[in-house]
Amino acid sequence: MSIQTINPYTNTVEKTFDPATPQEVEETLQRADAAFQAWRTTSFSQRSTLMQRAGDELAGNTDYYARIISLEMGKPLAQARGEVNKCAMVCHYYAQHAEEFLQDEDIRTSAVRSFISYEPLGTVLAVMPWNFPFWQVFRFAAPALMAGNVGLLKHASNVPQCALAIQEVFDKVGFPQGCFQSLLIGSREVEQLIKDNRVKAVTLTGSEGAGAKVASVAGNEIKKTVLELGGSDAFIVLADADVEAVAKKAASARLINTGQSCIAAKRFILEKPIAEAFLAAFSENMQKKRTGNPLEDEDIDYGPLARVDLAQELTEQVERSVAAGAKLYLKGGQPDPEKALFHPAILTDIQPGNPAYLEEFFGPVALVFVAEDAQDAIRIANDSPFGLGGSIWTNDIKRGQELARQVEAGAVFVNSIVASDPALPFGGVKKSGYGRELSYLGIREFVNQKTIWVG
Ligand code: NDP
């Protein structure tokens, strides 16, 4: 894929970038390595001052950064502003908490003193996707830099201006040169980078295929990885739920980021007594959502998908599912096969083995299942290759929590749409990946958890 900004709303090429040459890659790695030697010796208070400033820079210029996001991947501007603000929040969060999360931890043993010391690893490579092109990066960078590591970003090829703008944030607020760098390279160049001795660990957010490839190269090199991959989150509606209110939430949960979110609700599992009424209300809410030009129309709910090929792939997934017996309850879809716009759609009658039963649908297509009872709903929810998030909707909060424990996922929300929060761990089980981001667990992924024993 060439490294280009293509406005997905107009489908026009705005800018093309030359990939970094081997010489430029080498210089970038040298800068990162040199930066690490100095950065690792800085105090938490020095790092915190800079990270606080990075957060201030984002919070003070949301519109500037949001426009770059919307231009390159098509999300409505208001949502892009929200993304930039969330990045500011994660910078401020780790500026305030990193020291406490990485303090020496004394453990009582037979030693005079024994403790765990959390020490940085060095250059961490981040291979990142286009769907939340700022958030995915800051969610990695804020804890990694606060821990004393340095960051190297290989961003998705369709968001090069986001990649450069993120480096600009860190440079502008005074992070030493080399602490955070964006490398404009294609995915084929990633293998060589992972093999380089100066790269100590890798984090990837993206598809299962990219995750498997990166993890296998890193595994061969005995380098730590964190993988945040796809999801097909269940949205379980129990018979005692408020159908009208939850159907409204369901439409919003499916259309987060125009459906292109790993934690968007994708499979709607309805307890039989409310299934019909819920489906009707859900469909009505899906149809109420408005689209338009992400950069100009303020009052819209969804934009085009991020690339034409992604919309075509989604169309093809729907066609395969229908050919295998699923029914289109709400047709939606791509009005023009050469454009990235895709209207919300709903599939029902999905049997095991159907593509919609097994695959992630990364766009505004809701997959609906009917369950005999709550236990059957949990069984359907768990009968998936993925295990990222999920939600349960019920008027019985106690029962909701008990059922939440039974869902095989990294996060289950009761009566709330799944979302990430800097204070809580984020990540998956099964094919959704491994390792955790955010919270105190996230900052401890890329550190040497060293035992020090004093006899
Ligand atoms: P990819 O997983 O291909 O891209 C994510 C990142 O990985 C990009 O930086 C990409 O670079 C890089 N990459 C891709 N293949 C390799 C490889 N073999 N070795 C090293 N790096 C690689 O996502 P797509 O853009 O192709 O989207 C396809 C699907 O992935 C979506 O439909 C969705 O299902 C899933 N996805 C999931 C996301 C999530 O949040 N979990 C986010 C985005 C996508 P480059 O852009 O240069 O190819």
Side-chain angles (χ1 to χ4, degrees), residues 1-3 126-132 136 139 154-158 185-191 194 204-211 213-214 228-231 260-263 307 309-310 313 317 360-363 388 432:
M1 223 190 305
S2 42
I3 302 173
V127 181
M128 289 289 145
W130 42 262
N131 59 340
F132 291 93
Q136 311 275 29
R139 172 173 87 177
K154 180 270 177 275
H155 219 325
S157 292
N158 56 328
I185 51 169
S187 53
R188 250 176 284 150
E189 269 60 65
V190 171
E191 183 166 348
I194 298 173
L204 178 137
T205 301
S207 64
E208 208 182 306
K213 175 75 187 156
V214 160
E228 203 271 273
L229 310 177
Q260 306 163 111
S261 168
C262 46
I263 49 165
R307 301 192 309 248
D309 67 294
L310 294 165
E313 194 186 316
Q317 279 180 300
E360 179 181 32
F361 278 51
F362 216 62
L388 193 57
S432 293

Side-chain angles (χ1 to χ4, degrees), residues 396-409:
D396 184 344
I397 291 179
K398 189 161 173 283
R399 185 162 176 242
Q401 289 172 70
E402 283 158 10
L403 291 169
R405 290 184 193 275
Q406 298 178 32
V407 178
E408 295 165 359

Side-chain angles (χ1 to χ4, degrees), residues 27-50:
E27 285 164 10
T28 304
L29 284 164
Q30 282 177 12
R31 266 196 305 274
D33 204 39
F36 174 61
Q37 301 313 329
W39 183 245
R40 68 181 307 173
T41 66
T42 54
S43 66
F44 279 110
S45 130
Q46 286 169 303
R47 293 177 206 159
S48 174
T49 303
L50 293 174

